[in-house]
Amino acid sequence: MAGIGLSLPSNSTHRPTFTSSVPPKPSSTRCCLSSVKMTVSVDDKKKTFTLKKSEEAFNAAKELMPGGVNSPVRAFKSVGGQPIVIDSVKGSRMWDIDGNEYIDYVGSWGPAIIGHADDEVLAALAETMKKGTSFGAPCLLENILAKMVISAVPSIEMVRFVNSGTEACMGVLRLARAFTGKTKIIKFEGCYHGHADPYLVKAGSGVATLGLPDSPGVPKSATADTLTSPYNDITTVENLFNTHKGEIAAVILEPVVGNAGFIKPTPEFLNFLKKVTKENDALLIFDEVMTGFRLAYGGAQEYFGITPDLTTLGKIIGGGLPVGAYGGRREIMEMVAPAGPMYQAGTLSGNPLAMTAGIHTLKRLQEPGTYEYLDKVTGQLINGIIDAGKKAGHAISGGHISGMFGFFFTDGPVYNFEDAKKSDTAKFAKFYRAMLEEGVYLAPSQFEAGFTGLKHTQEDIQRTIDAAEKVFKDL
Ligand SMILES: Cc1ncc(COP(=O)(O)O)c(C=O)c1O
């Protein structure tokens, strides 16, 4: 990771630490909740656990928005019951509108790596906001975040900011096709690259969670050039390259899968993809929307030492505001308009608020010890959960890298989505609901990875393991 001249305050109070420091609830929220009832902490929560207000709010939401949500997995369909409706977040915690407190391992699906509602990020946002929320014109903050991304991510020499991971994956596909002059792509079963038409083939995330077939509304022509292979399967990819000689523009993958549950690549698989794309004049695309700045500061490509041709980013680089990005070698990126002919644009792209949150989030991640801390607490968490499950006689397997983890209710090993589907999802649903009552918020799907952040303390981890031990016994 290279510095970019943004120095951190020497007396920063945000260094990762193993001491317990549960952040106080923001006073404004405390005030609102107290008018309803006392906030319920993780400790005394069991006595009064109720989701009455969440249920009322969600029932109302279902009349207003499809399924009551604006993104499918949030609806808790695969774990049963109704979702909790969130009132506020801070550090490693979140509070629902009934006043229940949870240790959060979703982190807004990844962005909250430095903890929710970080004081420095909020202060920086307030300063930026004084100058306006959107310019629709160049601003200095874009240069700062672009430099940070370029100096961090090995494959990126130039970057284009967009507003979501979906947009980043749409842009990068068009770019790969424009650069190579070819149209076919290879994607992997259970990998999710946003909801654009060409990627909705054997997709992960909500599509996997809800067990949906490929989506209606996606014309056959949109997916005609999407070839698929099981993850970690060298032979199938080799065969696809042989069958479609000279036609494949790119191979895109999650370098560690998070959208079919947590699945690691084998080292041979990543090395092979690098080699086969090079030999066939195709581009290797790492979709690092989830893994970027999470597995290491330079993402999965730094962690594994394999440099793709193009990379997509999202989540963490927006620090909780909507941002995505794609980037790569200069010669490829200079095809993007207006430097080149490949068109892609965005009204709010590079807006000052999102750039500010991203800059201050990455700045924090540059502090020494960040990724060591994430790896340590996440290792303790996943090993504790798996040990507790095994001790209670359950088939369970899982793993972690840095602040990303997952487990399946199967003995494993899990190399691909077919293996992941052997997991006992009914058992996961029961486990999930019981953990929620214990004040632990996990991703509401067996097919989603979990995330930790710098504000998770050892006490949080121990409480979670204790809760899991208790729940496993009754499962
Ligand atoms: C690997 C990956 N790519 C793309 C996306 C889509 O990003 P967004 O939800 O911001 O559109 C996601 C979302 O979870 C993702 O995990």
Side-chain angles (χ1 to χ4, degrees), residues 1-10 12 14-16 113-114 118 120-121 124 144-145 148-149 152 293 297 316-317 319 355-368 370-371 454:
M1 167 222 329
I4 58 133
L6 275 166
S7 64
L8 295 165
S10 57
S12 170
H14 298 280
R15 232 160 256 288
I113 192 165
I114 66 169
D118 177 81
E120 272 180 31
V121 173
I144 296 173
L145 188 58
M148 294 178 92
V149 168
F293 293 92
Y297 192 73
I316 290 173
I317 59 160
M355 297 294 103
T356 297
I359 290 164
H360 287 269
T361 299
L362 298 198
K363 212 169 87 171
R364 179 75 49 77
L365 292 173
Q366 291 180 348
E367 291 186 23
T370 294
Y371 291 93
L454 295 178

Side-chain angles (χ1 to χ4, degrees), residues 71 74 108-109 163-169 191-195 199 205 252-259 286-291 312-315 322-324 448 451:
S71 197
R74 295 180 198 171
S108 191
W109 300 97
N163 302 290
S164 68
T166 293
E167 254 191 82
C169 293
C191 281
Y192 180 66
H193 306 294
H195 60 83
Y199 293 123
S205 192
I252 185 167
L253 76 157
E254 292 180 58
V256 170
V257 183
N259 287 293
F286 275 11
D287 179 353
E288 297 230 40
V289 167
M290 198 177 267
T291 55
T312 56
L313 295 166
K315 298 186 190 277
V323 181
E448 297 283 359
F451 303 111

Side-chain angles (χ1 to χ4, degrees), residues 28 96 105 258 316 339 438:
S28 59
D96 68 21
Y105 293 106
I316 290 173
E438 293 297 324

Side-chain angles (χ1 to χ4, degrees), residues 10 119 196 218 265 333 360 390 406:
S10 57
D119 289 341
V218 175
M333 290 304 291
H360 287 269
K390 283 189 174 157

Side-chain angles (χ1 to χ4, degrees), residues 60-259:
K62 280 194 282 194
E63 298 299 314
L64 304 168
M65 295 167 282
V69 290
N70 286 303
S71 197
V73 184
R74 295 180 198 171
F76 274 39
K77 285 227 163 177
S78 73
V79 291
Q82 295 208 329
I84 55 171
V85 175
I86 303 305
D87 179 74
S88 67
V89 288
K90 188 77 182 167
S92 65
R93 303 298 169 107
M94 46 194 243
W95 290 265
D96 68 21
I97 57 172
D98 286 285
N100 301 304
E101 179 181 321
Y102 304 90
I103 304 170
D104 174 26
Y105 293 106
V106 181
S108 191
W109 300 97
I113 192 165
I114 66 169
H116 286 295
D118 177 81
D119 289 341
E120 272 180 31
V121 173
L122 295 184
L125 282 171
E127 275 308 301
T128 298
M129 222 175 330
K130 286 181 193 161
K131 297 181 174 182
T133 58
S134 175
F135 304 150
C139 70
L140 277 175
L141 295 163
E142 292 169 290
N143 293 13
I144 296 173
L145 188 58
K147 270 193 203 166
M148 294 178 92
V149 168
I150 289 165
S151 57
V153 184
S155 67
I156 298 187
E157 292 174 1
M158 284 186 117
V159 65
R160 164 62 58 89
F161 289 116
V162 293
N163 302 290
S164 68
T166 293
E167 254 191 82
C169 293
M170 286 167 64
V172 89
L173 175 56
R174 187 175 304 143
L175 177 58
R177 286 171 166 167
F179 184 76
T180 60
K182 300 187 259 188
T183 51
K184 294 204 185 298
I185 55 157
I186 297 177
K187 81 169 280 287
F188 295 93
E189 293 166 14
C191 281
Y192 180 66
H193 306 294
H195 60 83
D197 286 356
Y199 293 123
L200 285 186
V201 185
K202 298 187 176 164
S205 192
V207 184
T209 299
L210 301 174
L212 296 175
D214 301 338
S215 175
V218 175
K220 277 205 169 62
S221 57
T223 54
D225 291 315
T226 306
L227 309 169
T228 61
S229 161
Y231 199 75
N232 276 326
D233 184 341
I234 290 174
T235 309
T236 300
V237 177
E238 215 159 33
N239 289 342
L240 287 173
F241 268 102
N242 287 334
T243 310
H244 301 278
K245 250 207 165 354
E247 295 178 310
I248 296 172
V251 175
I252 185 167
L253 76 157
E254 292 180 58
V256 170
V257 183
N259 287 293

